[in-house]
Amino acid sequence: MLEVGTKAPAFTLPDKEGNPVSLSDFLGQKVVLYFYPRDNTSGCTRQACAFGAAYGQFQALGVAVIGVSKDSVASHQKFAAKNALPFLLLADPEHQVIEAYDVWKEKKLYGKVSMGTVRATYVIDQQGFIEKAMPKVKPDTNAQEILDYLKGESHP
């Protein structure tokens, strides 16, 4: 994981409509940038739906939510439509951003070793610096943990 206090790597990736979205578009606003392995898998769907259900609370705090995986634009479009996801999903099929954020790792499943995206979340501050780094997040509690953290920050 990238260190808290370091500049978040700049990026531009297509959203589910194919429109380019850059991290710099969000300067002046906090960003929750979460990385997940794959659209339409059980854990990733639960995580995305939890962020979707809490999206109004993130908006009320002025925080953008962005999900990133190596899935295609078309896959994201179907995933977002099927689950009524109101936030940005960015496609990183070449995993350039996934690697820049140090979440492309060796994974083991049933004794088989492969490379893939690990589930991790970053909070990026208004100036584009990493404020919080959360490795190995749980799909069912990630959104609420981030909200609790942000509310603690917003209302000391």
Short mmCIF file of all heavy atoms in Angstrom, two decimals, residues 81-145:
data_model
loop_
_atom_site.label_atom_id
_atom_site.label_comp_id
_atom_site.label_asym_id
_atom_site.label_seq_id
_atom_site.Cartn_x
_atom_site.Cartn_y
_atom_site.Cartn_z
N ALA A 81 -25.64 -0.82 -13.89
CA ALA A 81 -27.07 -0.85 -14.20
C ALA A 81 -27.77 -1.93 -13.38
O ALA A 81 -28.83 -1.69 -12.79
CB ALA A 81 -27.28 -1.07 -15.69
N LYS A 82 -27.19 -3.11 -13.33
CA LYS A 82 -27.79 -4.25 -12.62
C LYS A 82 -27.96 -3.96 -11.13
O LYS A 82 -28.93 -4.37 -10.51
CB LYS A 82 -26.89 -5.47 -12.81
CG LYS A 82 -27.37 -6.72 -12.12
CD LYS A 82 -26.41 -7.88 -12.41
CE LYS A 82 -26.78 -9.12 -11.63
NZ LYS A 82 -25.81 -10.19 -11.87
N ASN A 83 -27.01 -3.20 -10.54
CA ASN A 83 -27.02 -2.95 -9.10
C ASN A 83 -27.38 -1.51 -8.73
O ASN A 83 -27.26 -1.12 -7.58
CB ASN A 83 -25.67 -3.33 -8.50
CG ASN A 83 -25.39 -4.81 -8.66
OD1 ASN A 83 -26.02 -5.63 -8.02
ND2 ASN A 83 -24.47 -5.15 -9.55
N ALA A 84 -27.83 -0.72 -9.72
CA ALA A 84 -28.21 0.69 -9.52
C ALA A 84 -27.13 1.46 -8.76
O ALA A 84 -27.41 2.12 -7.76
CB ALA A 84 -29.56 0.77 -8.81
N LEU A 85 -25.89 1.36 -9.23
CA LEU A 85 -24.76 2.02 -8.56
C LEU A 85 -24.68 3.48 -8.99
O LEU A 85 -24.53 3.76 -10.18
CB LEU A 85 -23.45 1.28 -8.88
CG LEU A 85 -23.43 -0.20 -8.50
CD1 LEU A 85 -22.12 -0.84 -8.93
CD2 LEU A 85 -23.67 -0.39 -7.01
N PRO A 86 -24.76 4.41 -8.04
CA PRO A 86 -24.80 5.83 -8.37
C PRO A 86 -23.43 6.50 -8.47
O PRO A 86 -23.34 7.67 -8.82
CB PRO A 86 -25.59 6.43 -7.20
CG PRO A 86 -25.22 5.56 -6.04
CD PRO A 86 -25.03 4.18 -6.61
N PHE A 87 -22.36 5.81 -8.14
CA PHE A 87 -21.03 6.42 -8.11
C PHE A 87 -20.20 5.98 -9.32
O PHE A 87 -20.62 5.11 -10.08
CB PHE A 87 -20.32 6.08 -6.80
CG PHE A 87 -20.23 4.61 -6.52
CD1 PHE A 87 -19.18 3.84 -7.01
CD2 PHE A 87 -21.21 3.98 -5.76
CE1 PHE A 87 -19.12 2.48 -6.78
CE2 PHE A 87 -21.15 2.61 -5.51
CZ PHE A 87 -20.11 1.86 -6.03
N LEU A 88 -19.04 6.58 -9.47
CA LEU A 88 -18.17 6.28 -10.60
C LEU A 88 -17.50 4.91 -10.49
O LEU A 88 -17.01 4.55 -9.43
CB LEU A 88 -17.05 7.33 -10.69
CG LEU A 88 -17.43 8.70 -11.23
CD1 LEU A 88 -16.29 9.69 -11.00
CD2 LEU A 88 -17.75 8.62 -12.72
N LEU A 89 -17.49 4.19 -11.60
CA LEU A 89 -16.70 2.98 -11.74
C LEU A 89 -15.73 3.25 -12.88
O LEU A 89 -16.15 3.65 -13.97
CB LEU A 89 -17.58 1.77 -12.09
CG LEU A 89 -18.52 1.27 -11.02
CD1 LEU A 89 -19.35 0.10 -11.56
CD2 LEU A 89 -17.77 0.85 -9.77
N LEU A 90 -14.45 3.03 -12.65
CA LEU A 90 -13.45 3.28 -13.67
C LEU A 90 -12.82 1.97 -14.13
O LEU A 90 -12.54 1.09 -13.32
CB LEU A 90 -12.37 4.23 -13.15
CG LEU A 90 -12.88 5.60 -12.66
CD1 LEU A 90 -11.70 6.47 -12.23
CD2 LEU A 90 -13.71 6.30 -13.72
N ALA A 91 -12.61 1.87 -15.44
CA ALA A 91 -12.04 0.67 -16.06
C ALA A 91 -10.53 0.83 -16.19
O ALA A 91 -10.05 1.82 -16.76
CB ALA A 91 -12.69 0.47 -17.43
N ASP A 92 -9.80 -0.16 -15.68
CA ASP A 92 -8.34 -0.16 -15.75
C ASP A 92 -7.85 -1.53 -16.25
O ASP A 92 -7.15 -2.26 -15.54
CB ASP A 92 -7.76 0.16 -14.36
CG ASP A 92 -6.25 0.35 -14.36
OD1 ASP A 92 -5.65 0.49 -15.45
OD2 ASP A 92 -5.66 0.34 -13.28
N PRO A 93 -8.24 -1.90 -17.50
CA PRO A 93 -7.90 -3.24 -18.00
C PRO A 93 -6.39 -3.50 -18.11
O PRO A 93 -5.96 -4.64 -18.04
CB PRO A 93 -8.58 -3.31 -19.37
CG PRO A 93 -8.88 -1.91 -19.75
CD PRO A 93 -9.01 -1.13 -18.47
N GLU A 94 -5.61 -2.46 -18.26
CA GLU A 94 -4.15 -2.62 -18.33
C GLU A 94 -3.52 -2.59 -16.93
O GLU A 94 -2.32 -2.66 -16.79
CB GLU A 94 -3.53 -1.51 -19.19
CG GLU A 94 -4.13 -1.39 -20.59
CD GLU A 94 -3.88 -2.63 -21.44
OE1 GLU A 94 -2.76 -3.16 -21.37
OE2 GLU A 94 -4.81 -3.06 -22.14
N HIS A 95 -4.34 -2.43 -15.92
CA HIS A 95 -3.99 -2.29 -14.51
C HIS A 95 -2.83 -1.33 -14.23
O HIS A 95 -2.05 -1.54 -13.31
CB HIS A 95 -3.84 -3.62 -13.77
CG HIS A 95 -3.16 -4.73 -14.51
ND1 HIS A 95 -1.81 -4.87 -14.53
CD2 HIS A 95 -3.67 -5.75 -15.24
CE1 HIS A 95 -1.50 -5.94 -15.26
NE2 HIS A 95 -2.61 -6.48 -15.70
N GLN A 96 -2.77 -0.24 -14.97
CA GLN A 96 -1.74 0.78 -14.72
C GLN A 96 -1.99 1.51 -13.41
O GLN A 96 -1.07 1.72 -12.62
CB GLN A 96 -1.68 1.77 -15.89
CG GLN A 96 -1.17 1.14 -17.17
CD GLN A 96 -1.27 2.06 -18.36
OE1 GLN A 96 -2.23 2.83 -18.49
NE2 GLN A 96 -0.29 2.00 -19.23
N VAL A 97 -3.24 1.90 -13.17
CA VAL A 97 -3.58 2.62 -11.94
C VAL A 97 -3.56 1.64 -10.76
O VAL A 97 -3.08 1.97 -9.68
CB VAL A 97 -4.93 3.34 -12.07
CG1 VAL A 97 -5.35 3.99 -10.76
CG2 VAL A 97 -4.84 4.40 -13.18
N ILE A 98 -4.07 0.44 -10.99
CA ILE A 98 -4.06 -0.59 -9.95
C ILE A 98 -2.62 -0.83 -9.47
O ILE A 98 -2.37 -0.91 -8.27
CB ILE A 98 -4.72 -1.89 -10.49
CG1 ILE A 98 -6.22 -1.66 -10.70
CG2 ILE A 98 -4.47 -3.06 -9.55
CD1 ILE A 98 -6.92 -2.75 -11.51
N GLU A 99 -1.68 -0.89 -10.41
CA GLU A 99 -0.28 -1.08 -10.04
C GLU A 99 0.30 0.17 -9.38
O GLU A 99 1.05 0.09 -8.40
CB GLU A 99 0.55 -1.49 -11.26
CG GLU A 99 0.25 -2.91 -11.70
CD GLU A 99 1.14 -3.39 -12.83
OE1 GLU A 99 2.35 -3.10 -12.81
OE2 GLU A 99 0.60 -4.06 -13.74
N ALA A 100 -0.07 1.36 -9.89
CA ALA A 100 0.44 2.62 -9.32
C ALA A 100 0.03 2.76 -7.86
O ALA A 100 0.77 3.34 -7.05
CB ALA A 100 -0.07 3.81 -10.13
N TYR A 101 -1.14 2.23 -7.51
CA TYR A 101 -1.64 2.30 -6.13
C TYR A 101 -1.25 1.05 -5.32
O TYR A 101 -1.74 0.85 -4.22
CB TYR A 101 -3.15 2.53 -6.11
CG TYR A 101 -3.48 3.98 -6.32
CD1 TYR A 101 -3.52 4.54 -7.60
CD2 TYR A 101 -3.70 4.83 -5.24
CE1 TYR A 101 -3.79 5.88 -7.79
CE2 TYR A 101 -3.98 6.17 -5.42
CZ TYR A 101 -4.01 6.69 -6.70
OH TYR A 101 -4.27 8.03 -6.90
N ASP A 102 -0.37 0.24 -5.88
CA ASP A 102 0.21 -0.90 -5.18
C ASP A 102 -0.84 -1.90 -4.68
O ASP A 102 -0.74 -2.42 -3.57
CB ASP A 102 1.09 -0.42 -4.02
CG ASP A 102 2.04 -1.51 -3.53
OD1 ASP A 102 2.42 -2.39 -4.33
OD2 ASP A 102 2.38 -1.49 -2.34
N VAL A 103 -1.85 -2.17 -5.52
CA VAL A 103 -2.86 -3.16 -5.14
C VAL A 103 -2.91 -4.33 -6.14
O VAL A 103 -3.85 -5.12 -6.11
CB VAL A 103 -4.26 -2.52 -4.94
CG1 VAL A 103 -4.26 -1.60 -3.73
CG2 VAL A 103 -4.74 -1.78 -6.17
N TRP A 104 -1.91 -4.44 -7.02
CA TRP A 104 -1.76 -5.59 -7.92
C TRP A 104 -0.78 -6.53 -7.24
O TRP A 104 0.40 -6.24 -7.13
CB TRP A 104 -1.24 -5.12 -9.27
CG TRP A 104 -1.15 -6.19 -10.32
CD1 TRP A 104 -0.02 -6.78 -10.78
CD2 TRP A 104 -2.22 -6.78 -11.06
NE1 TRP A 104 -0.32 -7.71 -11.74
CE2 TRP A 104 -1.67 -7.73 -11.94
CE3 TRP A 104 -3.61 -6.61 -11.05
CZ2 TRP A 104 -2.44 -8.49 -12.81
CZ3 TRP A 104 -4.37 -7.37 -11.92
CH2 TRP A 104 -3.80 -8.29 -12.79
N LYS A 105 -1.29 -7.62 -6.70
CA LYS A 105 -0.49 -8.48 -5.84
C LYS A 105 -0.63 -9.95 -6.22
O LYS A 105 -1.57 -10.34 -6.90
CB LYS A 105 -0.94 -8.33 -4.37
CG LYS A 105 -0.86 -6.93 -3.82
CD LYS A 105 0.54 -6.59 -3.43
CE LYS A 105 0.57 -5.25 -2.69
NZ LYS A 105 1.90 -4.81 -2.45
N GLU A 106 0.29 -10.74 -5.67
CA GLU A 106 0.19 -12.19 -5.80
C GLU A 106 -0.95 -12.66 -4.90
O GLU A 106 -1.04 -12.26 -3.74
CB GLU A 106 1.51 -12.80 -5.36
CG GLU A 106 1.66 -14.25 -5.71
CD GLU A 106 3.04 -14.77 -5.38
OE1 GLU A 106 3.22 -15.24 -4.23
OE2 GLU A 106 3.93 -14.69 -6.25
N LYS A 107 -1.81 -13.49 -5.45
CA LYS A 107 -2.93 -14.02 -4.69
C LYS A 107 -2.92 -15.54 -4.78
O LYS A 107 -2.49 -16.09 -5.79
CB LYS A 107 -4.25 -13.50 -5.28
CG LYS A 107 -4.40 -11.99 -5.20
CD LYS A 107 -5.52 -11.48 -6.07
CE LYS A 107 -6.84 -11.57 -5.37
NZ LYS A 107 -7.93 -10.91 -6.09
N LYS A 108 -3.40 -16.19 -3.74
CA LYS A 108 -3.49 -17.65 -3.73
C LYS A 108 -4.95 -18.04 -3.58
O LYS A 108 -5.65 -17.55 -2.70
CB LYS A 108 -2.68 -18.23 -2.59
CG LYS A 108 -1.20 -18.11 -2.79
CD LYS A 108 -0.42 -18.78 -1.67
CE LYS A 108 1.06 -18.60 -1.94
NZ LYS A 108 1.83 -18.29 -0.77
N LEU A 109 -5.39 -18.94 -4.46
CA LEU A 109 -6.75 -19.45 -4.38
C LEU A 109 -6.69 -20.95 -4.64
O LEU A 109 -6.24 -21.37 -5.71
CB LEU A 109 -7.64 -18.76 -5.40
CG LEU A 109 -9.12 -19.15 -5.40
CD1 LEU A 109 -9.77 -18.79 -4.07
CD2 LEU A 109 -9.86 -18.46 -6.53
N TYR A 110 -7.10 -21.71 -3.66
CA TYR A 110 -7.06 -23.18 -3.76
C TYR A 110 -5.67 -23.67 -4.15
O TYR A 110 -5.52 -24.56 -4.99
CB TYR A 110 -8.11 -23.69 -4.76
CG TYR A 110 -9.50 -23.21 -4.45
CD1 TYR A 110 -10.19 -22.40 -5.35
CD2 TYR A 110 -10.13 -23.53 -3.24
CE1 TYR A 110 -11.47 -21.95 -5.07
CE2 TYR A 110 -11.40 -23.08 -2.95
CZ TYR A 110 -12.07 -22.30 -3.86
OH TYR A 110 -13.33 -21.84 -3.58
N GLY A 111 -4.64 -23.06 -3.58
CA GLY A 111 -3.27 -23.47 -3.83
C GLY A 111 -2.67 -22.94 -5.11
O GLY A 111 -1.48 -23.08 -5.37
N LYS A 112 -3.49 -22.29 -5.95
CA LYS A 112 -3.00 -21.74 -7.21
C LYS A 112 -2.59 -20.28 -6.98
O LYS A 112 -3.33 -19.51 -6.38
CB LYS A 112 -4.10 -21.81 -8.27
CG LYS A 112 -3.66 -21.31 -9.62
CD LYS A 112 -4.80 -21.43 -10.64
CE LYS A 112 -4.36 -20.83 -11.94
NZ LYS A 112 -5.29 -19.84 -12.46
N VAL A 113 -1.40 -19.93 -7.46
CA VAL A 113 -0.90 -18.57 -7.31
C VAL A 113 -1.11 -17.81 -8.61
O VAL A 113 -0.80 -18.30 -9.69
CB VAL A 113 0.60 -18.59 -6.93
CG1 VAL A 113 1.15 -17.18 -6.84
CG2 VAL A 113 0.82 -19.33 -5.63
N SER A 114 -1.66 -16.60 -8.50
CA SER A 114 -1.84 -15.74 -9.67
C SER A 114 -1.73 -14.29 -9.23
O SER A 114 -1.75 -13.99 -8.04
CB SER A 114 -3.20 -16.00 -10.32
OG SER A 114 -4.24 -15.67 -9.41
N MET A 115 -1.63 -13.41 -10.19
CA MET A 115 -1.59 -11.98 -9.90
C MET A 115 -3.01 -11.42 -10.06
O MET A 115 -3.75 -11.83 -10.95
CB MET A 115 -0.65 -11.24 -10.85
CG MET A 115 0.82 -11.62 -10.68
SD MET A 115 1.49 -11.24 -9.05
CE MET A 115 1.57 -9.45 -9.13
N GLY A 116 -3.36 -10.49 -9.18
CA GLY A 116 -4.69 -9.89 -9.27
C GLY A 116 -4.81 -8.68 -8.36
O GLY A 116 -3.90 -8.36 -7.61
N THR A 117 -5.96 -8.03 -8.47
CA THR A 117 -6.25 -6.86 -7.65
C THR A 117 -6.67 -7.30 -6.27
O THR A 117 -7.56 -8.14 -6.13
CB THR A 117 -7.38 -6.03 -8.29
OG1 THR A 117 -7.04 -5.76 -9.65
CG2 THR A 117 -7.61 -4.73 -7.54
N VAL A 118 -6.04 -6.73 -5.25
CA VAL A 118 -6.49 -6.98 -3.88
C VAL A 118 -7.47 -5.88 -3.48
O VAL A 118 -7.38 -4.75 -3.95
CB VAL A 118 -5.30 -7.06 -2.88
CG1 VAL A 118 -4.42 -8.26 -3.17
CG2 VAL A 118 -4.49 -5.79 -2.87
N ARG A 119 -8.41 -6.24 -2.65
CA ARG A 119 -9.44 -5.30 -2.21
C ARG A 119 -8.81 -4.31 -1.23
O ARG A 119 -8.34 -4.70 -0.16
CB ARG A 119 -10.56 -6.10 -1.54
CG ARG A 119 -11.86 -5.37 -1.38
CD ARG A 119 -12.90 -6.25 -0.71
NE ARG A 119 -13.07 -7.55 -1.34
CZ ARG A 119 -13.82 -7.76 -2.43
NH1 ARG A 119 -14.45 -6.76 -3.00
NH2 ARG A 119 -13.93 -8.98 -2.93
N ALA A 120 -8.76 -3.06 -1.60
CA ALA A 120 -8.14 -2.03 -0.77
C ALA A 120 -8.82 -0.69 -1.03
O ALA A 120 -9.39 -0.48 -2.10
CB ALA A 120 -6.65 -1.92 -1.09
N THR A 121 -8.74 0.21 -0.05
CA THR A 121 -9.39 1.51 -0.16
C THR A 121 -8.46 2.61 0.31
O THR A 121 -7.76 2.45 1.31
CB THR A 121 -10.69 1.53 0.68
OG1 THR A 121 -11.53 0.47 0.24
CG2 THR A 121 -11.43 2.86 0.54
N TYR A 122 -8.48 3.71 -0.42
CA TYR A 122 -7.73 4.91 -0.04
C TYR A 122 -8.71 6.07 0.14
O TYR A 122 -9.69 6.18 -0.60
CB TYR A 122 -6.76 5.32 -1.15
CG TYR A 122 -5.56 4.42 -1.31
CD1 TYR A 122 -5.55 3.41 -2.27
CD2 TYR A 122 -4.42 4.59 -0.53
CE1 TYR A 122 -4.45 2.59 -2.45
CE2 TYR A 122 -3.31 3.77 -0.69
CZ TYR A 122 -3.33 2.77 -1.65
OH TYR A 122 -2.23 1.97 -1.81
N VAL A 123 -8.40 6.93 1.11
CA VAL A 123 -9.08 8.22 1.20
C VAL A 123 -8.04 9.25 0.78
O VAL A 123 -6.92 9.27 1.32
CB VAL A 123 -9.59 8.52 2.63
CG1 VAL A 123 -10.20 9.92 2.70
CG2 VAL A 123 -10.61 7.47 3.07
N ILE A 124 -8.40 10.06 -0.21
CA ILE A 124 -7.49 11.07 -0.74
C ILE A 124 -8.05 12.44 -0.35
O ILE A 124 -9.24 12.70 -0.53
CB ILE A 124 -7.36 10.93 -2.27
CG1 ILE A 124 -6.79 9.53 -2.59
CG2 ILE A 124 -6.48 12.03 -2.86
CD1 ILE A 124 -6.85 9.14 -4.04
N ASP A 125 -7.18 13.28 0.22
CA ASP A 125 -7.66 14.58 0.72
C ASP A 125 -7.87 15.59 -0.41
O ASP A 125 -7.62 15.30 -1.59
CB ASP A 125 -6.75 15.11 1.83
CG ASP A 125 -5.40 15.62 1.34
OD1 ASP A 125 -5.19 15.80 0.11
OD2 ASP A 125 -4.53 15.85 2.21
N GLN A 126 -8.33 16.78 -0.03
CA GLN A 126 -8.69 17.81 -0.99
C GLN A 126 -7.50 18.30 -1.84
O GLN A 126 -7.68 18.84 -2.91
CB GLN A 126 -9.31 19.03 -0.27
CG GLN A 126 -10.64 18.72 0.39
CD GLN A 126 -10.53 18.21 1.82
OE1 GLN A 126 -9.55 17.58 2.22
NE2 GLN A 126 -11.57 18.47 2.62
N GLN A 127 -6.28 18.09 -1.35
CA GLN A 127 -5.08 18.51 -2.08
C GLN A 127 -4.46 17.38 -2.89
O GLN A 127 -3.42 17.56 -3.51
CB GLN A 127 -4.02 19.08 -1.12
CG GLN A 127 -4.40 20.43 -0.51
CD GLN A 127 -5.44 20.30 0.61
OE1 GLN A 127 -5.35 19.41 1.45
NE2 GLN A 127 -6.42 21.19 0.62
N GLY A 128 -5.07 16.19 -2.86
CA GLY A 128 -4.57 15.07 -3.65
C GLY A 128 -3.54 14.21 -2.94
O GLY A 128 -2.79 13.48 -3.59
N PHE A 129 -3.51 14.26 -1.61
CA PHE A 129 -2.60 13.43 -0.83
C PHE A 129 -3.36 12.29 -0.17
O PHE A 129 -4.54 12.43 0.17
CB PHE A 129 -1.88 14.26 0.25
CG PHE A 129 -0.83 15.16 -0.31
CD1 PHE A 129 -1.17 16.43 -0.77
CD2 PHE A 129 0.49 14.73 -0.42
CE1 PHE A 129 -0.20 17.27 -1.32
CE2 PHE A 129 1.46 15.57 -0.97
CZ PHE A 129 1.12 16.84 -1.41
N ILE A 130 -2.70 11.17 0.02
CA ILE A 130 -3.32 10.02 0.67
C ILE A 130 -3.47 10.31 2.16
O ILE A 130 -2.49 10.56 2.85
CB ILE A 130 -2.51 8.74 0.41
CG1 ILE A 130 -2.56 8.40 -1.08
CG2 ILE A 130 -3.05 7.58 1.26
CD1 ILE A 130 -1.65 7.29 -1.52
N GLU A 131 -4.71 10.30 2.60
CA GLU A 131 -5.03 10.60 3.99
C GLU A 131 -5.19 9.32 4.80
O GLU A 131 -4.89 9.27 5.98
CB GLU A 131 -6.34 11.40 4.01
CG GLU A 131 -6.84 11.77 5.36
CD GLU A 131 -8.14 12.54 5.27
OE1 GLU A 131 -8.21 13.54 4.52
OE2 GLU A 131 -9.09 12.14 5.96
N LYS A 132 -5.71 8.28 4.15
CA LYS A 132 -5.91 7.00 4.83
C LYS A 132 -5.73 5.88 3.81
O LYS A 132 -6.19 6.00 2.68
CB LYS A 132 -7.31 6.94 5.46
CG LYS A 132 -7.54 5.68 6.28
CD LYS A 132 -8.78 5.83 7.15
CE LYS A 132 -9.02 4.63 8.04
NZ LYS A 132 -7.97 4.37 9.01
N ALA A 133 -5.06 4.82 4.23
CA ALA A 133 -4.86 3.64 3.37
C ALA A 133 -5.36 2.42 4.13
O ALA A 133 -4.96 2.18 5.27
CB ALA A 133 -3.39 3.49 3.03
N MET A 134 -6.27 1.68 3.50
CA MET A 134 -6.87 0.51 4.15
C MET A 134 -6.64 -0.73 3.29
O MET A 134 -7.33 -0.93 2.30
CB MET A 134 -8.37 0.73 4.34
CG MET A 134 -8.71 1.91 5.24
SD MET A 134 -10.49 2.21 5.33
CE MET A 134 -11.02 0.76 6.24
N PRO A 135 -5.65 -1.56 3.66
CA PRO A 135 -5.43 -2.80 2.92
C PRO A 135 -6.40 -3.89 3.37
O PRO A 135 -6.94 -3.83 4.47
CB PRO A 135 -4.00 -3.18 3.30
CG PRO A 135 -3.83 -2.61 4.68
CD PRO A 135 -4.68 -1.37 4.74
N LYS A 136 -6.63 -4.84 2.50
CA LYS A 136 -7.43 -6.04 2.84
C LYS A 136 -8.76 -5.70 3.51
O LYS A 136 -9.08 -6.22 4.57
CB LYS A 136 -6.61 -6.98 3.71
CG LYS A 136 -5.37 -7.50 3.02
CD LYS A 136 -4.60 -8.44 3.91
CE LYS A 136 -3.33 -8.88 3.20
NZ LYS A 136 -2.39 -9.56 4.04
N VAL A 137 -9.51 -4.80 2.90
CA VAL A 137 -10.81 -4.42 3.48
C VAL A 137 -11.83 -5.54 3.26
O VAL A 137 -11.70 -6.36 2.36
CB VAL A 137 -11.32 -3.09 2.88
CG1 VAL A 137 -10.41 -1.95 3.24
CG2 VAL A 137 -11.52 -3.18 1.38
N LYS A 138 -12.85 -5.54 4.10
CA LYS A 138 -13.92 -6.52 4.00
C LYS A 138 -15.06 -5.92 3.17
O LYS A 138 -15.46 -4.77 3.40
CB LYS A 138 -14.46 -6.87 5.39
CG LYS A 138 -13.38 -7.39 6.35
CD LYS A 138 -13.35 -8.90 6.31
CE LYS A 138 -12.41 -9.51 7.31
NZ LYS A 138 -11.01 -9.42 7.00
N PRO A 139 -15.61 -6.66 2.22
CA PRO A 139 -16.64 -6.10 1.34
C PRO A 139 -17.88 -5.61 2.08
O PRO A 139 -18.49 -4.62 1.69
CB PRO A 139 -16.99 -7.23 0.38
CG PRO A 139 -16.34 -8.45 0.88
CD PRO A 139 -15.30 -8.05 1.87
N ASP A 140 -18.25 -6.30 3.18
CA ASP A 140 -19.50 -5.95 3.86
C ASP A 140 -19.37 -4.76 4.81
O ASP A 140 -20.38 -4.14 5.15
CB ASP A 140 -20.02 -7.17 4.63
CG ASP A 140 -20.34 -8.33 3.69
OD1 ASP A 140 -20.98 -8.09 2.66
OD2 ASP A 140 -19.94 -9.46 4.00
N THR A 141 -18.16 -4.42 5.24
CA THR A 141 -18.00 -3.36 6.23
C THR A 141 -17.20 -2.16 5.72
O THR A 141 -17.14 -1.14 6.39
CB THR A 141 -17.30 -3.90 7.49
OG1 THR A 141 -16.03 -4.47 7.10
CG2 THR A 141 -18.13 -4.98 8.18
N ASN A 142 -16.62 -2.25 4.55
CA ASN A 142 -15.74 -1.20 4.03
C ASN A 142 -16.42 0.17 3.95
O ASN A 142 -15.88 1.16 4.45
CB ASN A 142 -15.19 -1.62 2.66
CG ASN A 142 -14.16 -0.69 2.08
OD1 ASN A 142 -14.08 -0.53 0.87
ND2 ASN A 142 -13.34 -0.08 2.91
N ALA A 143 -17.59 0.24 3.35
CA ALA A 143 -18.27 1.53 3.18
C ALA A 143 -18.55 2.17 4.54
O ALA A 143 -18.31 3.37 4.74
CB ALA A 143 -19.56 1.36 2.39
N GLN A 144 -19.06 1.38 5.49
CA GLN A 144 -19.38 1.93 6.82
C GLN A 144 -18.13 2.36 7.57
O GLN A 144 -18.13 3.39 8.24
CB GLN A 144 -20.19 0.92 7.64
CG GLN A 144 -20.76 1.52 8.91
CD GLN A 144 -21.68 2.70 8.64
OE1 GLN A 144 -22.62 2.60 7.86
NE2 GLN A 144 -21.41 3.84 9.28
N GLU A 145 -17.05 1.59 7.46
CA GLU A 145 -15.79 1.97 8.11
C GLU A 145 -15.29 3.31 7.58
O GLU A 145 -14.85 4.16 8.36
CB GLU A 145 -14.71 0.90 7.87
CG GLU A 145 -14.92 -0.37 8.66
CD GLU A 145 -13.98 -1.50 8.23
OE1 GLU A 145 -13.32 -1.40 7.19
OE2 GLU A 145 -13.94 -2.49 8.96
#
